Amino acid sequence: MYRIAVLSYHTSPLAPLGGAETGGLNVYVLELASELAERGHTVDVFTRRTDPAQAEIVHIGEGAPGTRIIHIDAGPARYLEKRALDAHLDAFEAGVAGFAERESLSYDVVHSHYWLSGVAGAKLKVRWGVPHVAMFHTLGEVKARARVSEREPEPRLAAERMIAQDADKIVVASRDEQQLLVRHYDADPDRIAVVPCGVNLGMFQPVDKDEARQQLGLGDDDQILLFVGRIEPLKGVDILLGAAAQMEGQSDCFVLVIGGDSDARTGEMAHLRDLAEELGIAERVSFLGAVDHERLPLFYSAADVCVVPSFYESFGLVALEAMACGTPVVASRVGGLTVAVRDGETGYLIPWRCPEPFAERLELLLGNDELRRAFGQAAREEVERFRWSNVAEAVLGIYGEVIDGTPARTTAVFRN
Ligand code: UDP
């Protein structure tokens, strides 16, 4: 049994989802931890304290030893923007080490999430003399290339380069990402493991569409396009709005946008509201703000199509969640979305980041009930292989490899 130190410095797995910095990474950390704990491993997830009232240790899930979330003092105990966080990284790393020393704990492996945690992971690797498994989730170089406005500061890029060279294993969610790491960061392909993300098939299940719509107060005959995710330019919600505006004869087509703070009067949310006005579709677009994860199956089931128009997506859990609810997905042909969605079988993959091709595919799907049903059914079957237990088995294989040199078996279900 392994004792695993997970680093999730910049965002807590306990934070509500759908905020500016809470999304797939948080879900990933929690789901993986719970799978590992179920198998008898001990998981301590270290995160930065953002509220003085937070208990130092919070136990989650059932059973012993289970998973603990450990809040470490590093900088002021309140929310800080990402760019203010590198200043407190040393304090975080020292805090994690201090906690382990105080509790007389030794870990078998450090698993870091996002580059900030990766920096701490590289230091703990040396301090503790244990292997470091890193996951970037997003890469600065790739973000910058995906959308011009996304220039990332040099310290991030330098840190990512350092981690790419230093980590014992880098876990990525797609071969696409593996290639990007090799190309832009000169990473050794043999030290990169491809493990697709997972979906909670118990939570994400199809609900009868009429019933879901009734529960949500949505019209029976409306055509509904759904977006779920953090509200930031990289997610390409502007492409979806542009597509909705272009679709002909779709006056009864509605767009639901879930995520972010729907009351925000600045930033991307304000920009998207203005755009909907400009495009003349404001009355057909609802910005619903963040929705509880547990409630999302209703929305996915109520929607006709889930749209994931990202400029860059290291995986895209939302696509899997929609598919698990039997809803076809129209997504950008980027990153992990190319693993999740089968073009022409469970949805469509769009190679261009502009509204026209999205509009064309959406029109096709909305206009054909039979096709939508067939795609939806195929989608639910397809996601079976993405259950979190498969992810956990693959990650355990990687731990075995870096801890005691046991070669990891390739999990057949994850070959793509
Ligand atoms: N999410 C949520 N409520 C919201 C918005 C998002 O629960 O209001 C969840 C969503 O279900 C998914 C995650 O946040 O599990 C977003 O993950 P994804 O990989 O799609 O995007 P990322 O956040 O990694 O960019």
Side-chain angles (χ1 to χ4, degrees):
M1 291 298 144
Y2 298 131
R3 181 178 284 279
I4 304 144
V6 176
L7 308 182
S8 179
Y9 169 62
H10 82 285
T11 178
S12 167
L14 299 177
L17 294 171
E21 271 139 38
T22 51
L25 185 154
N26 308 61
V27 174
Y28 192 100
V29 169
L30 271 190
E31 292 281 3
L32 178 60
S34 105
E35 290 286 341
L36 295 174
E38 252 176 51
R39 288 163 176 72
H41 302 282
T42 306
V43 186
D44 282 346
V45 183
F46 293 94
T47 189
R48 197 182 76 83
R49 183 192 296 283
T50 53
D51 182 342
Q54 277 159 343
E56 183 187 38
I57 301 176
V58 179
H59 289 265
I60 55 166
E62 282 152 35
T67 301
R68 304 190 297 178
I69 309 292
I70 296 156
H71 295 103
I72 298 292
D73 288 311
R78 58 180 160 77
Y79 170 79
L80 291 178
E81 291 207 359
K82 266 194 200 150
R83 62 191 139 89
L85 283 176
D86 28 351
H88 308 294
L89 255 178
D90 285 345
F92 178 71
E93 189 263 337
V96 174
F99 177 87
E101 203 177 314
R102 204 183 72 212
E103 305 268 314
S104 307
L105 295 172
S106 59
Y107 293 96
D108 297 302
V109 62
V110 183
H111 190 159
S112 68
H113 295 271
Y114 197 63
W115 73 272
L116 286 162
S117 295
V119 173
K123 289 193 175 146
L124 288 166
K125 164 182 166 155
V126 177
R127 196 192 275 264
W128 288 339
V130 298
H132 175 206
V133 174
M135 280 185 79
F136 287 107
H137 294 268
T138 63
L139 286 164
E141 286 283 0
V142 183
K143 259 180 102 170
R145 281 174 166 79
R147 196 159 195 177
V148 185
S149 55
E150 300 284 343
R151 196 73 226 143
E152 287 292 307
E154 184 50 39
R156 170 175 183 175
L157 306 180
E160 288 179 340
R161 266 178 238 126
M162 179 279 289
I163 298 160
Q165 303 303 322
D166 181 75
D168 295 270
K169 208 73 167 183
I170 303 166
V171 180
V172 296
S174 69
R175 292 200 196 291
D176 203 32
E177 189 113 347
Q178 181 181 33
Q179 282 164 10
L180 291 169
L181 263 169
V182 174
R183 192 179 318 142
H184 300 307
Y185 291 87
D186 212 14
D188 171 2
D190 291 339
R191 281 192 300 110
I192 307 175
V194 182
V195 181
C197 287
V199 59
N200 185 330
L201 294 174
M203 184 187 303
F204 292 97
Q205 292 196 20
V207 178
D208 175 73
K209 184 179 263 182
D210 293 338
E211 197 186 312
R213 287 187 175 202
Q214 210 170 10
Q215 284 197 41
L216 295 172
L218 300 169
D220 283 352
D221 301 323
D222 294 338
Q223 294 186 311
I224 297 177
L225 303 178
L226 176 68
F227 170 88
V228 178
R230 290 175 298 112
I231 302 298
E232 60 163 48
L234 217 56
K235 291 284 180 182
V237 183
D238 47 354
I239 296 178
L240 167 59
L241 298 185
Q246 277 183 21
M247 288 158 60
E248 281 171 25
Q250 302 293 351
S251 54
D252 54 354
C253 155
F254 290 87
V255 181
L256 302 183
V257 178
I258 289 181
D261 172 5
S262 55
D263 294 330
R265 291 287 164 258
T266 55
E268 183 66 1
M269 185 63 89
H271 162 68
L272 293 173
R273 277 188 191 282
D274 290 347
L275 182 64
E277 288 284 351
E278 269 166 42
L279 293 169
I281 55 167
E283 71 290 350
R284 293 199 275 129
V285 182
S286 301
F287 293 97
L288 302 179
V291 167
D292 284 348
H293 201 53
E294 295 72 22
R295 222 173 131 68
L296 284 178
L298 275 183
F299 285 91
Y300 288 126
S301 301
D304 291 298
V305 184
C306 178
V307 188
V308 190
S310 312
F311 284 76
Y312 168 42
E313 196 66 66
S314 96
F315 195 74
L317 293 185
V318 160
L320 287 186
E321 292 165 3
M323 289 165 67
C325 295
T327 302
V329 176
V330 173
S332 303
R333 188 190 288 279
V334 287
L337 292 169
T338 60
V339 181
V341 179
R342 283 194 191 275
D343 189 39
E345 290 175 41
T346 63
Y348 291 113
L349 289 169
I350 312 290
W352 302 281
R353 259 27 99 223
C354 51
E356 295 78 8
F358 275 87
E360 191 239 319
R361 288 308 197 190
L362 288 170
E363 257 173 342
L364 186 72
L365 265 178
L366 288 181
N368 189 332
D369 294 351
E370 210 35 63
L371 188 67
R372 254 192 349 266
R373 250 194 300 277
F375 276 22
Q377 204 171 341
R380 174 70 203 184
E381 285 162 22
E382 175 69 11
V383 290
E384 291 285 330
R385 69 195 181 107
F386 292 104
R387 53 182 71 246
W388 283 109
S389 54
N390 285 345
V391 178
E393 291 299 336
V395 171
L396 277 172
I398 293 163
Y399 290 164
E401 206 181 328
V402 295
I403 293 169
D404 36 52
T406 322
R409 281 175 296 122
T410 317
T411 318
V413 283
F414 277 140
R415 289 216 190 96
N416 51 58

